[in-house]
Amino acid sequence: MSNYSIEKVGSDYVVKVDDQSVMKVGSRRRAAQLVVYASELLNDVPLVPDDAASSGDLAMPSDASSVKDHDPAGDVTQDQ
């Protein structure tokens, strides 16, 4: 599990994972929502063993066109 933090830089807030800056947003509340969303996603996704990822064994699902994208604003959109 990564260590998330939020830092105020000027009038913006920077979301950090460990010591790496990954995103800048205008409100602290939005930054906190994104950290919670990212944490939930990481908890839901099973980890892939290193040997499977490096050997190219990962495949797209056959029905990839029906995969739904989640908008960070909370809306769900469907690819067409």
Side-chain angles (χ1 to χ4, degrees):
M1 181 71 179
S2 297
N3 182 24
Y4 293 96
S5 63
I6 300 170
E7 233 177 69
K8 185 169 174 82
V9 177
S11 62
D12 295 319
Y13 293 87
V14 176
V15 176
K16 292 182 153 191
V17 179
D18 296 326
D19 289 329
Q20 178 81 27
S21 297
V22 294
M23 186 179 314
K24 186 188 330 182
V25 294
S27 79
R28 187 177 191 314
R29 177 177 287 187
R30 184 68 180 137
Q33 288 173 339
L34 291 169
V35 167
V36 168
Y37 182 70
S39 295
E40 289 173 354
L41 283 176
L42 287 173
N43 288 334
D44 289 344
V45 176
L47 296 177
V48 177
D50 290 338
D51 57 343
S54 63
S55 67
D57 289 343
L58 301 176
M60 290 290 290
S62 60
D63 62 342
S65 63
S66 66
V67 173
K68 293 182 179 180
D69 292 331
H70 292 281
D71 181 6
D75 299 329
V76 177
T77 59
Q78 175 121 9
D79 291 339
Q80 296 183 13

